[in-house]
Each structure stands twice: as structure tokens, then as C-alpha cells.
Amino acid sequence: MTRGKIQERITDQNPAFHITEEPKGKKENLLLNSERPTRVLRKTSHSQGEDGALGKPTRPQTIKLSEKLEGTKTVFKKFSERKWPLDIHPLNKSLVKDNKWKETDVAQETRRSFLQEFCKKYGGVSRPQSHLFHMVSRIYVEDKHKILYCEVPKAGCSNWKRILMVLSGLASSAYNISHDAVHYGKHLKKLDSFDLKGIYSRLNTYTKAVFVRDPMERLVSAFRDKFEHPNSYYHPVFGKAIIKKYRPNACEEALNNGSGVKFKEFVHYLLDSHRPVGMDIHWEKVSKLCYPCLINYDFVGKFETLEEDANYFLQLVGAPKGLKFPNFKDRHSSDERTNAQVVRQYLKDLTRTERQLIYDFYYLDYLMFNYTTPFL
């Protein structure tokens, strides 16, 4: 793929949220024009899912900034004068007292440098093309320890939310928090719930973390979780639509309940430019969830080394000494974890072309986070 094509993928992160062209003569920043409502949202293909919508804002679509904060013009000026991506800061390692983290630290610095260099080389943008509130809509805030965590489903996000709840004083132990409390309790704040000044100050002063996973593994994990177990949302909403479009001569029972979706059918849905139902955060690209070339993350963790990375991060932010990242499986605990061997079994049902197309779909994620080419 040419450099121009890669730049196009990065800058065109989410065309559904591009800002309307500014009439000539207007000098205000397009993204942050004080004469407009704070959100300019258009049609989106993202669906809600269990853990919240990508495309459905939790706030009203039109909010007058005057109702949100005073001194709006000053904030707009600060934003319009900012160059994107935001500055990257060296990690503060003054709270790390144990020498055992040396290898983890080296790996972390390598990942940060790799992502930074990739974005410098291919980003080619000075300003975000998506609306600010959408860009930060997946980022959770923990004010006490000044943490911003971008949620990537199927990459340890449930246990990360548990940790954030403990850090913020909402729970005494990560092991006592149920799945429903994590995902439906509305206990944690998201960055898009703050006004522009609050977003700006946190992006520039808090420690920003993202945890990622091999894209093919993450995809298989999402499929197993949502379609191989009873699910009152994914089966009727996604399953029925997938079976109807991609299964010839489907039986009436499958069409009615949406259960029994095959991985190959799910892949056909994923790769279809005219999907019968929109995208979902559980298999959306990290490049569209967290905008890593526009928001400079201070810490890049990987699911493959989740415990080591997470516990090192907790040291960096000064978490209580006894707090450790939980290693239990959030749901379907009797199932084997999705790993490379499990992924191979699912890919056997696909043609070489289908496997290549999945790789192409997640191409940016593979490049940004230096994952090796999958089993093509």
C-alpha cells in the first residue's frame, strides 16, 4: 500500500463525523466554531451494542456552549491555536521503585517510539478531521490519579474499568465488581462528558493509556463472545440480519432468533461495504476508537503482555501498592481463551482471499502497533 493510501486511511478516520465546509471569509477553526453547536453529528453506521454506542452520542446533538462554560471564546482560541497531534510527554517514572520493570519499560518505550514515528511518517495532518467530542468518546477519566484510558473492547477493558473504579474509590477490590456493574453501572466518567476546557486540560496533563490486541485475535474473541453464547442483543440485532443476507435457504428458526451465526458469515458481514446492520465497538478498528495518530498516548499496552504492562502502568501513576491487575476471565470463564491456536481453527473456514481482506480491513491497526502479518 502506498504512503498516500495510508495517509488517506489515517486522515479519513470517520467520514460520518467530518465537519461542514466553512464559508469563505470565516477565520474560526472549523472544528471549534463558536457560532455552531458543540456537536455536528451526521449519519453514522455504528450501532450501540452492550457497552454503548459509537455513533449515538449520550449527550444531546445540539448543545449551546454558553450553557456549558464561561469564557468560551478563550477556549476556542486555545484549541484553534493548538497543533495536532497533541504534544507527547516522557513518562514520569519517579514513582517506580522496583528494578523488575526494566524489560517492560524498554518494551513500552519501543512501542511509543514506533507509534510516534509511524504517525509522523504517515499522519500528514495538523488538525483532526473528526469532531472532538467523538474523538474522545471512548476515553474514561480517573481524576484522582490523572488517568485517561481509551477503551478497546476485547483487549482487557472490563478489568481495566474495574481497576479505574478501585482507583477512584468506588470499590475496594476489583474482584468484587460484577460484569453488569462494570458495563451498565455508569460509575465512570468519560472524557466527552466534560466541557471543552476540561477535555483540553486533561488531554494535556493526564497520563493517556491505550491497550490493544492482535486484530485477528480480537475479532475472533468478539465473535465467540457475542455469537457462540446466548445474547439478547447481538443475536436479534446482528445475528438475524447476518443470517438473512449471507445464508442461502436459511431456516425460519434461524431467521427469527438470529442464533447460530457462522464465523464465515460474520466475516462476510464485516467486509461488506453495504452491511445490513452497522459496525460495533467490539470489532471496530482501534484507529477509529482511540485515534492514536491524533491523541498521543503516553502508554501503549498490549493484551499479549497485559498483566505485566498493566501492573507497570499502575506503578507509574502511583496506584496503591497492593492493587494488582486482575487476571480472571470476565465472562464464559470455562471457555479457552482466544489465542493464536484458537484463531487458526476459525481461519480454516475462510479462503485465502477472505483472510487477506480481513488483514486489509485492520491494516492500520497492524501497522500502528507493529503486529505481524496473520496466518494468510
Side-chain angles (χ1 to χ4, degrees), residues 20 41 78 91 147 149 164-165 168 171 186 190 214 262 267 295 300 333 367:
T20 312
L41 299 183
K78 283 185 178 180
L91 284 170
I147 297 168
Y149 162 72
L164 294 179
M165 289 174 70
S168 61
K186 308 288 184 186
K190 286 187 178 178
D214 176 275
K262 296 179 173 63
V267 168
I295 298 171
V300 180
S333 56
L367 288 184

Side-chain angles (χ1 to χ4, degrees), residues 158-159 162 177-179 182-183 328-333 337:
S158 296
N159 282 338
R162 289 183 171 95
I177 309 171
S178 69
H179 175 87
V182 166
H183 292 290
F328 63 84
K329 205 167 182 286
D330 188 53
R331 294 202 299 175
H332 318 309
S333 56
R337 284 187 184 271

Side-chain angles (χ1 to χ4, degrees), residues 129-185:
Q129 297 298 305
S130 290
H131 197 281
L132 177 67
F133 283 94
H134 172 71
M135 281 174 52
V136 302
S137 63
R138 304 310 313 169
I139 297 179
Y140 285 86
V141 179
E142 202 284 289
D143 283 317
K144 185 177 179 182
H145 296 82
K146 297 188 175 181
I147 297 168
L148 297 181
Y149 162 72
C150 187
E151 174 192 30
V152 177
K154 312 312 299 177
C157 72
S158 296
N159 282 338
W160 259 118
K161 290 180 190 176
R162 289 183 171 95
I163 286 292
L164 294 179
M165 289 174 70
V166 173
L167 287 173
S168 61
L170 295 169
S172 58
S173 169
Y175 291 87
N176 299 331
I177 309 171
S178 69
H179 175 87
D180 286 356
V182 166
H183 292 290
Y184 309 124

Side-chain angles (χ1 to χ4, degrees), residues 262-321:
K262 296 179 173 63
F263 185 63
K264 192 179 186 75
E265 295 167 338
F266 175 65
V267 168
H268 286 176
Y269 144 79
L270 180 78
L271 301 175
D272 190 348
S273 59
H274 301 287
R275 299 183 191 96
V277 62
M279 276 295 287
D280 182 86
I281 60 172
H282 292 84
W283 46 85
E284 181 60 281
K285 307 160 193 173
V286 177
S287 56
K288 282 192 174 183
L289 292 172
C290 298
Y291 295 88
C293 277
L294 294 173
I295 298 171
N296 277 321
Y297 288 93
D298 305 297
F299 194 95
V300 180
K302 290 195 171 183
F303 185 82
E304 293 76 12
T305 51
L306 179 58
E307 280 188 69
E308 297 94 324
D309 291 347
N311 286 323
Y312 178 51
F313 180 80
L314 292 175
Q315 291 262 318
L316 289 171
V317 297
K321 192 173 181 180

Side-chain angles (χ1 to χ4, degrees), residues 207-257:
T207 304
K208 301 177 291 293
V210 60
F211 276 70
V212 300
R213 186 176 187 177
D214 176 275
M216 200 75 81
E217 249 189 55
R218 184 171 162 251
L219 179 68
V220 172
S221 176
F223 172 78
R224 295 177 73 201
D225 181 25
K226 305 307 178 189
F227 295 102
E228 292 187 348
H229 296 272
N231 193 297
S232 61
Y233 174 77
Y234 284 90
H235 290 193
V237 174
F238 286 86
K240 288 167 70 171
I242 290 172
I243 290 170
K244 182 178 180 180
K245 184 166 185 178
Y246 306 107
R247 184 181 298 178
N249 305 314
C251 69
E252 189 174 344
E253 182 181 0
L255 290 169
N256 286 336
N257 61 31

